[in-house]
Amino acid sequence: MGLWRSFLPMLSLFFCLSFVNTILDSLKDTLVITAHGGGAFVIPYLTVYAVLPVSVLFLFAFSAASHRMSRAALFNTILVVFMAFFGGFALVLYPNADVLHPHALADQMQQALPQGLAGFVGMLRNWTFTLFFCMAELWGDVCMGLLFWGLANEITNLSDAATLYPLFGLGANLAQALAGLVLKATTCRPSSEFGLALQLSMAAVIVIAGIAIALQQHITNEAEAKRRHHRHRHNSSHPMAMAADGSSASSSSQIDAGAAAAAMAAADAQFDAAEAAARKAKREKQQPSAWESIKVLGRSLEIRCLAVMSLAQGLCNSLMEFAWKCHMRLLYPNPSDFTAFLGDVATWSGVVTGGLMLLSPLLFERWGWRGVANTTPNMLLWGGSAFFAACITYQHLFGAAVAAGGAAAAGPVSLVLLQVLVMSGALLYVFGKGAKFSLFKPAEEMVYITLDEDGRTRGKAAIDVVGSQTGKSGGSLLQQALLLASAGSITGIMPVMFGVFFLMLRGWRSAVHELSQVRHYSYDSPSSSMEEEEEDAAAAAAAAGSGTLPGRQ
């Protein structure tokens, strides 16, 4: 029963964070792709020159704040900052976007710069949308990747993770499906009312984020109460407490009961003080610089393998989504239609991911950690190969005609093939995302449980926030170079993109294989990291001087 009491709130928390992420993920693409002077070619520049710098700044701020604030306070502070920005965007920035955006200056830059830099000009032209894009990207990496899984890793044993981690995503899948329906409903109106739809969506984001803060506080309080309960139960069976109970035969029952309660309360307080002192002494003894932290993390095989997997994942997704969204804009140039289609994609993503998560415990048992972790790269390898082949074929057949007059002007055959291509990309996106969150992500998080504090905090922050964005930035830099070389045409760059896509997926699979040789991540794995054992020993040694022998929490 205690396991489910912690599972259901975590399920609800993941629901809230994923609901917000789905809304933001769809709107950020709509804003930058369908804006005046925008398009899918803007995203590579956003990823490198906007999102990556913001992610690096956040990493340093997070590392500094984590030394001064508790995990719960850090969680609340970060969500409040997000809520303030999205509220300000809906009420101030978006309604005044035409005034705030320097269209005249951007037009002059566009005439002076090569056509391949149109994405860079579009990023500067629509700078408020650029800010929104950055914050929306950070929400997924920070709130879902770093904060949620950091909390889960703190309160979950590895023996339970193989079962619970895939099931945590059930809340996320339901959220994706519902958020997709919300997007579909709010955008089923004339395009002139898209601003109202965006404001309604941001209101929902703020409310759900507030609920997430309340859930996080409840989970933290429950975890602390559970920890104290286990310690209290251990102390009640300690020889000192038993001696106090034995001596009670010669005293009155009220005095004995009070003495026993006082002894157990003193034991709890002594252990708390000893544990706090041990953690503080360790932090004071080990205050490495940023560069020293990087070197320490670099010596960890697990961190290196996780970094390769994160980089490959970010780069491959960047390349695939760029190709998909380039063709999607041709089919849906209107922002309301574009958002409505993304709403359908989000709904089906939730349904597919939910089905895979229900199967995930069985797949973990039958395929093992390595088989499950390889599902996502294998799916992208085979599905992505077919998708890129279709993109290359379409561009060579109709690319010039579509660039000159649009998809409809290229003829009915072109329009039908474009619809098939966009739907194929949507299927790859849906199943790739489903496999990532239901299979690969739980397998990845199981590795973090066994790491020390540096690995679980600074290492995870570096990989989840910067590592993923670095992979996306690598893909974006490649796209920029290719767009410059091809004068903005995507026809000739697709084969090169596919070649890099294929090689990175091979590297991803190799990292999974190497990591699987280190440790058996499954139900019978140890439930704690080596550092937790060291901290318990330090706390026990500190408390031994008082005659109190604390137990494992």
Side-chain angles (χ1 to χ4, degrees), residues 190-521:
S191 59
S192 60
E193 298 183 16
F194 180 73
L196 176 60
L198 184 140
Q199 290 177 334
L200 292 175
S201 299
M202 290 303 97
V205 164
I206 292 173
V207 171
I208 298 299
I211 296 174
I213 291 176
L215 282 169
Q216 184 272 153
Q217 193 61 50
H218 170 75
I219 293 167
T220 300
N221 293 339
E222 284 291 316
E224 180 63 20
K226 181 180 178 181
R227 186 170 66 93
R228 290 184 176 276
H229 170 73
H230 283 300
R231 188 173 303 149
H232 181 79
R233 184 174 60 183
H234 174 86
N235 289 333
S236 66
S237 62
H238 188 269
M240 291 182 59
M242 294 174 64
D245 290 341
S247 64
S248 64
S250 61
S251 306
S252 65
S253 60
Q254 291 183 346
I255 295 177
D256 293 340
M264 287 185 288
D268 285 342
Q270 184 68 30
F271 186 83
D272 287 339
E275 185 182 51
R279 290 180 180 270
K280 181 179 179 181
K282 185 169 186 177
R283 286 196 302 268
E284 291 176 350
K285 182 180 179 180
Q286 299 177 353
Q287 286 290 342
S289 64
W291 176 244
E292 289 172 340
S293 296
I294 293 174
K295 290 193 296 183
V296 170
L297 296 175
R299 288 195 293 267
S300 169
L301 175 63
E302 291 88 344
I303 291 293
R304 292 199 302 272
C305 290
L306 290 169
V308 170
M309 292 153 62
S310 179
L311 287 169
Q313 177 181 278
L315 192 147
C316 292
N317 286 337
S318 172
L319 295 176
M320 190 279 293
E321 289 185 31
F322 176 79
W324 176 46
K325 290 171 183 176
C326 280
H327 294 88
M328 194 193 310
R329 196 202 183 197
L330 296 175
L331 189 61
Y332 300 109
N334 183 277
S336 294
D337 295 337
F338 194 95
T339 306
F341 180 75
L342 288 178
D344 289 335
V345 171
T347 299
W348 282 107
S349 294
V351 173
V352 170
T353 309
L356 289 175
M357 283 187 171
L358 291 175
L359 293 174
S360 59
L362 178 62
L363 297 180
F364 266 99
E365 183 177 356
R366 292 193 174 183
W367 294 354
W369 182 90
R370 178 182 172 183
V372 170
N374 264 328
T375 302
T376 303
N378 286 339
M379 187 176 296
L380 290 176
L381 181 63
W382 296 106
S385 298
F387 173 71
F388 271 102
C391 289
I392 294 170
T393 302
Y394 179 83
Q395 286 297 323
H396 278 284
L397 291 177
F398 304 104
V402 169
V413 176
S414 169
L415 188 59
V416 171
L417 290 179
L418 181 62
Q419 291 174 337
V420 173
L421 181 59
V422 171
M423 289 302 300
S424 300
L427 287 174
L428 179 60
Y429 178 85
V430 166
F431 281 95
K433 191 172 185 179
K436 171 187 173 182
F437 286 110
S438 62
L439 302 175
F440 177 75
K441 190 64 177 176
E444 180 187 39
E445 294 301 326
M446 290 170 65
V447 180
Y448 283 109
I449 297 179
T450 64
L451 302 182
D452 59 14
E453 185 176 357
D454 272 343
R456 294 195 305 270
T457 55
R458 286 187 286 272
K460 183 170 176 57
I463 291 174
D464 284 356
V465 179
V466 177
S468 177
Q469 292 301 335
T470 302
K472 294 178 183 179
S473 298
S476 297
L477 287 171
L478 173 65
Q479 293 158 27
Q480 292 172 38
L482 293 175
L483 286 170
L484 280 172
S486 63
S489 173
I490 65 172
T491 302
I493 70 175
M494 286 292 172
V496 180
M497 290 173 55
F498 171 66
V500 177
F501 180 85
F502 182 84
L503 291 176
M504 290 304 298
L505 285 174
R506 293 290 300 272
W508 184 349
R509 298 203 312 170
S510 297
V512 171
H513 172 73
E514 185 174 3
L515 192 55
S516 67
Q517 307 301 311
V518 177
R519 190 167 185 173
H520 182 57
Y521 301 98

